[in-house]
Amino acid sequence: MINAIQEFIQYLHNVKKVSHNTEVSYERDLRKMFAWLDQQGIDSAEMVTNTNLNSYMLYLERQNLAASTVSRSVATMRAFFQYQLKENHIKTDPTEGLKPPKVEKKAPEILTVEEVDLLLSQPDTNTPKGVRDKAMLELLYATGIRVSELIHLKMSDVNMRLCYITCQEHDRDRIVPFGNTAKHAVENYVKEARGVLLGAHSEEYLFVNCSGKPISRQGFWKVLKGYVDKAGIVADITPHTLRHSFAIHLLQNGADLKSVQEMLGHSDISTTHMYLNMGIYKMRDVYTKAHPRK
């Protein structure tokens, strides 16, 4: 089944243009599913039945996995077997009628403007590491890009004169502007700190660690967590929180939904629309707490 999985992943990459993270997630889910099916004596896609997949779902649930994890696995199964059907590798779709567990949607954590200011003021800009951290946080909040996009930015992707970055996507480049605060933070990092962190190394990526190598996702997560703790922010903050906050703050200050969609790189505007609804709920919450005649 390895060949079938690889063929499907190539299809996702070349035709569907999904992100690298999505490819990795699908391949991991499929390898896990077929390892379980192999133990049941099933070694090809055409042998798989709806009963097999329902049994596999029950197996996942007995592992005490989160409903969202099981639901994602079901989505992977559907995509894979629908592709197999499309390519005439199977005659019927075994995922038909398969019902994933209900996932309770939790609204993502959003920082207030004051909390963002507090967080972004934490790095010690008297040290090269602090100057770098300040630049990363300012640029992340100024652009709303994903952490994966931040750590893969190259020096050539940043236009300091016109204040925009270029994010490399499968089928096109996405241009995202940033303001003077982020510009000054990045300029300061490039002029004062990047060379110190690089040492004798040469590197095309913009942000590097203390060893002169590109900073990793895990490395950025540790940086963010340290400053969240230092700031005394009790909310459950993840690297994606600044992206959510960027979107909400733009919409609350009058940005149109289409522009926010383009800056975030959402292919479907309904994804961006979630932030509009969240902004309304946030304003309603503030109103209820503050208005004297609520």
Side-chain angles (χ1 to χ4, degrees):
M1 289 310 304
I2 297 300
N3 289 340
I5 294 174
Q6 292 302 324
E7 180 186 321
F8 174 64
I9 298 301
Q10 284 299 310
Y11 164 75
L12 293 177
H13 181 84
N14 297 327
V15 179
K16 304 301 286 186
K17 308 292 187 183
V18 303
S19 69
H20 174 69
N21 287 343
T22 300
E23 290 177 19
V24 171
S25 175
Y26 272 49
E27 182 169 359
R28 182 177 59 243
D29 287 347
L30 289 172
R31 284 179 178 271
K32 184 175 181 180
M33 179 189 72
F34 278 109
W36 183 86
L37 288 170
D38 187 60
Q39 293 176 353
Q40 318 306 312
I42 299 166
D43 59 7
S44 64
E46 57 263 33
M47 293 176 63
V48 180
T49 67
N50 183 267
T51 301
N52 296 144
L53 296 183
N54 269 301
S55 297
Y56 179 62
M57 267 184 57
L58 290 173
Y59 163 77
L60 292 177
E61 290 172 352
R62 290 194 195 103
Q63 304 305 303
N64 293 320
L65 298 175
S68 57
T69 301
V70 178
S71 183
R72 189 200 66 212
S73 294
V74 173
T76 299
M77 287 186 259
R78 279 182 176 152
F80 174 79
F81 285 107
Q82 284 170 4
Y83 169 75
Q84 295 295 313
L85 187 65
K86 174 177 169 288
E87 294 296 310
N88 296 316
H89 296 323
I90 58 176
K91 294 181 179 179
T92 58
D93 180 3
T95 65
E96 191 171 338
L98 205 62
K99 294 183 179 179
K102 288 187 178 180
V103 179
E104 183 179 346
K105 289 189 176 180
K106 181 182 177 183
E109 198 73 55
I110 301 296
L111 293 175
T112 64
V113 174
E114 292 75 20
E115 286 173 327
V116 171
D117 288 341
L118 178 62
L119 176 63
L120 270 55
S121 69
Q122 296 308 308
D124 178 4
T125 53
N126 292 312
T127 69
K129 179 182 178 299
V131 172
R132 180 206 65 190
D133 296 347
K134 174 75 170 175
M136 286 195 300
L137 292 172
E138 289 285 359
L139 192 60
L140 195 65
Y141 176 62
T143 58
I145 58 176
R146 304 170 181 88
V147 173
S148 58
E149 293 172 328
L150 177 78
I151 63 176
H152 286 108
L153 278 177
K154 297 176 182 177
M155 293 288 289
S156 58
D157 292 328
V158 184
N159 188 316
M160 297 303 300
R161 186 172 67 86
L162 298 179
C163 293
Y164 71 80
I165 58 172
T166 303
C167 291
Q168 309 291 333
E169 297 187 336
H170 282 295
D171 54 347
R172 66 183 180 90
D173 292 340
R174 186 169 98 256
I175 304 299
V176 187
F178 57 84
N180 285 328
T181 303
K183 176 183 179 180
H184 294 151
V186 175
E187 281 183 334
N188 193 36
Y189 161 67
V190 172
K191 291 177 181 177
E192 306 294 335
R194 188 172 183 272
V196 177
L197 295 173
L198 275 174
H201 294 92
S202 177
E203 184 54 65
E204 63 178 341
Y205 288 102
L206 175 63
F207 293 113
V208 297
N209 61 25
C210 295
S211 300
K213 301 293 184 181
I215 192 164
S216 66
R217 192 184 189 93
Q218 293 81 4
F220 179 81
W221 166 243
K222 290 179 182 178
V223 166
L224 178 63
K225 188 176 186 304
Y227 291 129
V228 168
D229 292 343
K230 185 179 177 184
I233 298 173
V234 296
D236 183 20
I237 305 302
T238 71
H240 223 58
T241 302
L242 285 174
R243 179 171 164 86
H244 294 318
S245 302
F246 161 86
I248 284 290
H249 295 166
L250 278 180
L251 290 168
Q252 287 179 336
N253 284 282
D256 66 277
L257 200 63
K258 183 66 176 176
S259 296
V260 176
Q261 176 198 3
E262 291 175 357
M263 284 185 275
L264 291 174
H266 289 160
S267 58
D268 190 338
I269 200 167
S270 63
T271 305
T272 319
H273 203 276
M274 168 191 73
Y275 293 115
L276 188 61
N277 294 335
M278 287 169 55
I280 292 171
Y281 295 142
K282 184 75 174 177
M283 286 186 281
R284 183 181 297 163
D285 183 52
V286 170
Y287 179 92
T288 303
K289 290 178 179 177
H291 198 281
R293 295 181 68 84
K294 57 183 177 289

